DNA sequence: TTTTTATACGACTAAATATGTCTTATTTCA
DNA sequence: TGAAATAAGACATATTTAGTCGTATAAAAA
């Protein structure tokens, strides 16, 4: 399946919200969840994961919440996907780590697909939260 | 997950084999399966599906097998993905058919991701079996 | 000090999807 | 008639994804 995970979708939605409020106040998981009808507990876990990776910063306790912890142009779509879903790659054998592909030596498509893989990953890495905030994706994708 | 399905991988491998032999003889599922260590029954079903969609043509009975039924430049990667895995799209809401996305109206990323979706689908549609046969993917992807 | 509101964390469940197998029927050639 | 092939669909398994729940911890406010 060639699809973004819900985690990544929710992360993008949340980060956009957080970014738009970062200079004003902290955003809570509850607020984001209610703003966009996203499952709260799941969103909370996503935000925790993003916190671990220093994408955002969390403040605990009452009046707590989340705030951005990185410049928006340093938060890439590929980065989010890899943080939330693990290493990205069109095929097992195009992942950074070598894998147990039992037919590597008789595989006739690996090299060609590797090129496509590189192309797509590069595209995803070129897309940042900044582009989402400014609706600039069209320009980036040219 | 941003990954090609095994079905699509196996289909590409098989089509490449079939194409390379199309002027000489029919290829059987068994041969392809043994050439590349691909599960035979699964491959058989994939080839049947491709037959239904007129990508290949089947000949039943002993001495039977499969042969290409379309010019290699008309067999696109996107076409194969859609035949084998169903409609492709980065998100549910970017599929051709409208879907039950409960938060469409509060979704802040749909429009931007739709652009990315279009870009990727266009790329996949631009890649054909011909490119795989001639190792031309690098040129196509620019 | 207690209550409220928030994040942290991990276990757990449920649903969906992907992958692979098996059985039976049918077709064709030798 | 037997062997070798596709056709078709049911079945089984494994993996991944999505979502939930309970408990702990932290901080502010009552």
């Amino acid at each position: 399946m060639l699809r973004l995970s819900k985690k990544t979708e929710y992360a993008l939605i949340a980060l956009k919200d957080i970014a738009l409020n970062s200079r004003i106040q902290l955003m809570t998981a509850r607020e984001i969840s209610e703003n966009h009808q996203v499952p709260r507990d799941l969103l909370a876990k996503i935000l925790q994961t993003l916190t671990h990776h220093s994408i955002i910063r969390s403040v605990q306790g009452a009046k707590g919440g989340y705030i951005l912890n990185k410049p928006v142009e340093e938060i890439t779509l590929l980065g989010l996907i890899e943080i939330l879903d693990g290493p990205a790659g069109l095929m097992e054998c195009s992942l950074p780590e070598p894998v147990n592909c039992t037919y590597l030596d008789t595989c006739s498509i690996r090299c060609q697909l590797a090129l496509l893989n590189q192309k797509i990953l590069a595209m995803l890495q070129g897309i940042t939260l900044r582009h989402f905030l400014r609706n600039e994706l069209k320009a980036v994708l040219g």
Side-chain angles (χ1 to χ4, degrees), chain A:
Chain A
M1 178 100 42
L2 207 58
R3 185 162 306 176
L4 251 45
S5 71
K6 291 286 180 192
K7 282 191 195 171
T8 304
E9 284 186 36
Y10 296 159
L12 283 173
I13 291 172
L15 286 172
K16 195 165 175 183
D17 253 31
I18 293 172
L20 290 172
N21 284 275
S22 262
R23 308 222 168 158
I24 310 168
Q25 59 179 350
L26 297 171
M27 286 288 289
T28 67
R30 149 171 266 139
E31 284 174 304
I32 299 169
S33 154
E34 287 172 356
N35 284 352
H36 303 285
Q37 269 128 74
V38 161
R40 175 136 63 110
D41 285 349
L42 182 52
L43 177 62
K45 283 218 308 193
I46 292 168
L47 294 175
Q48 284 161 33
T49 303
L50 295 180
T51 303
H52 291 152
H53 288 80
S54 304
I55 304 288
I56 52 183
R57 192 161 51 79
S58 73
V59 175
Q60 293 190 7
K63 300 284 174 186
Y66 298 94
I67 194 172
L68 272 195
N69 192 42
K70 272 198 176 185
V72 288
E73 63 269 18
E74 289 181 19
I75 300 174
T76 72
L77 182 49
L78 180 60
L80 293 177
I81 291 173
E82 290 182 331
I83 285 172
L84 294 168
D85 302 327
L90 276 189
M91 302 178 299
E92 269 182 67
C93 60
S94 53
L95 297 181
E97 297 293 315
V99 267
N100 50 342
C101 177
T102 54
Y103 49 94
L104 264 187
D105 43 341
T106 54
C107 178
S108 56
I109 57 171
R110 182 173 141 77
C111 294
Q112 292 292 294
L113 280 182
L115 296 172
L116 175 58
N117 186 57
Q118 284 168 24
K119 183 79 175 184
I120 289 181
L121 294 191
M123 184 181 299
L124 296 178
Q125 186 152 38
I127 298 174
T128 72
L129 182 55
R130 177 181 182 133
H131 300 131
F132 279 99
L133 289 169
R134 301 175 139 211
N135 289 359
E136 280 180 349
L137 238 60
K138 188 160 190 174
V140 177
L141 298 172

